């Protein structure tokens, strides 16, 4: 559809302009259309079929981005503006969130329970608890290894050992991953992993406690990788304490 002045819509109708080209279909345009339809609007869907057409539209209406929605003849704006128009929450770019950690620990728990069911025929086993911590360590390490440079940049902001030996910041995610994998295997492999987990967990716990609770610093946590907005504090401390507990448990099991 071409751009024109048909956006003086009536009640129950909305006019949407969004970019749809052979090279690119704007995801926010699709989200805006879906949101309008969910709210019961009849959507007059205008496709901006080229970069030139998109640029001409933006210049005509004095906007910097598309999609743009018009309701009742008034311009509502882009996708975030449309969500605000309907009273829905809009995430701010720099807002802090625990969602990545909640998702990771929830998946770790479900995976551990599934593993326990597959091996023992029940989910309520001690091994399920061990697998939960080990799987969480592996997933946390994976997120760090996705972009190790961004992780190290954040990690160096508070880890005491990494500040003295920068190489440790690069070793840490590999050590966490290795310890997690060995702990999943259990037995002698878990015992080999115990000193590694105990070391990195203790250093991490002390570093986080000092940065957050002694120095009162407001930092982002490197626990789920360098691109996260998870606040440094309880979550990272929990990650390190889990490694310490798991290491001591592995040793205790071997001795018993």
């Amino acid at each position: 559809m071409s751009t024109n002045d048909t956006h003086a819509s009536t009640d129950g109708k909305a006019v949407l302009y969004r970019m749809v080209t052979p090279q690119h279909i704007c995801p926010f345009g699709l989200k805006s259309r879906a949101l309008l339809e969910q709210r019961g609007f009849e959507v007059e869907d205008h496709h901006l079929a080229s970069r030139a057409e998109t640029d001409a539209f933006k210049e005509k209406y004095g906007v910097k981005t598309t999609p743009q929605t018009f309701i009742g003849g008034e311009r509502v704006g882009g996708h975030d503006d449309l969500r605000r128009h309907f009273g829905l929450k809009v995430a701010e770019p720099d807002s802090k969130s625990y969602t990545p950690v909640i998702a990771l620990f929830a998946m770790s728990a479900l995976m551990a329970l599934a593993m326990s069911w597959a091996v023992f025929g029940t989910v309520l086993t001690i091994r399920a608890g061990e697998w939960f911590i080990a799987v969480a360590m592996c997933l946390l390490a994976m997120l760090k290894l996705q972009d190790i440079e961004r992780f190290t940049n954040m990690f160096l902001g508070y880890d005491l050992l990494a500040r003295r030996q920068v190489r440790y910041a690069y070793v840490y995610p590999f050590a966490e991953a290795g310890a997690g994998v060995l702990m999943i295997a259990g037995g002698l492999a878990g015992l080999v992993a115990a000193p590694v987990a105990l070391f990195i967990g203790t250093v991490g716990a002390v570093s986080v406690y000092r940065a957050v609770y002694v120095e009162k610093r407001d930092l982002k946590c490197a626990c789920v990788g360098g691109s996260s907005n998870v606040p440094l504090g309880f979550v990272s401390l929990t990650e390190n304490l889990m490694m310490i507990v798991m290491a001591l448990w592995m040793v205790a099991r071997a001795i018993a």
Side-chain angles (χ1 to χ4, degrees):
M1 297 184 184
S2 61
T3 60
N4 50 48
D5 291 322
T6 62
H7 55 70
S9 63
T10 60
D11 290 343
K13 292 186 178 180
V15 181
L16 173 66
Y17 292 90
R18 61 189 180 96
M19 190 173 182
V20 180
T21 72
Q23 295 77 28
H24 177 70
I25 297 178
C26 177
F28 296 103
L30 292 171
K31 289 182 178 181
S32 294
R33 187 183 67 182
L35 181 57
L36 288 164
E37 290 173 346
Q38 289 167 9
R39 294 284 166 156
F41 283 88
E42 179 184 338
V43 181
E44 187 178 312
D45 192 6
H46 292 256
H47 293 182
L48 302 170
S50 67
R51 173 58 64 181
E53 192 173 353
T54 303
D55 291 342
F57 171 84
K58 290 191 287 188
E59 182 178 357
K60 180 177 181 179
Y61 294 104
V63 297
K64 295 182 178 179
T65 62
T66 59
Q68 291 291 321
T69 300
F70 297 82
I71 296 176
E74 298 291 332
R75 185 176 70 85
V76 176
H79 178 65
D80 285 352
D81 296 316
L82 185 61
R83 289 185 61 86
R84 293 188 186 95
H85 178 78
F86 290 132
L88 300 176
K89 183 179 179 180
V90 176
E92 298 300 327
D94 295 325
S95 61
K96 294 180 180 180
S97 171
Y98 288 101
T99 300
V101 180
I102 294 171
L104 184 144
F105 283 129
M107 282 303 304
S108 299
L110 290 172
M111 290 172 68
L113 294 175
M115 293 160 68
S116 180
W117 179 267
V119 175
F120 302 110
T122 179
V123 297
L124 300 177
T125 63
I126 293 175
R127 200 75 180 99
E130 296 173 352
W131 280 329
F132 164 65
I133 295 176
V135 169
M137 289 170 61
C138 291
L139 294 180
L140 287 165
M142 180 195 69
L143 292 174
K144 296 176 177 72
L145 290 169
Q146 286 185 112
D147 191 337
I148 197 167
E149 291 298 334
R150 294 188 69 174
F151 160 73
T152 55
N153 290 342
M154 195 175 292
F155 191 63
L156 287 165
Y158 60 86
D159 189 84
L160 297 175
L161 180 56
R163 286 181 176 182
R164 291 177 175 271
Q165 295 291 334
V166 174
R167 291 180 188 176
Y168 176 68
Y170 291 89
V171 170
Y172 181 94
F174 291 97
E176 184 176 32
V181 170
L182 291 174
M183 287 177 173
I184 290 174
L188 181 60
L191 189 60
V192 171
V196 177
L198 182 62
F199 179 79
I200 64 176
T202 301
V203 173
V206 172
S207 299
V208 172
Y209 184 84
R210 177 174 176 176
V212 176
Y213 300 104
V214 177
E215 298 175 347
K216 307 293 184 182
R217 299 170 64 197
D218 183 17
L219 299 170
K220 292 180 181 179
C221 180
C223 54
V224 289
S227 60
S228 71
N229 285 325
V230 177
L232 181 68
F234 175 76
V235 172
S236 188
L237 187 60
T238 300
E239 174 192 7
N240 289 291
L241 292 176
M242 283 197 317
M243 285 192 281
I244 294 172
V245 169
M246 186 66 168
L248 294 176
W249 172 252
M250 288 289 181
V251 174
R253 282 191 62 182
I255 294 175

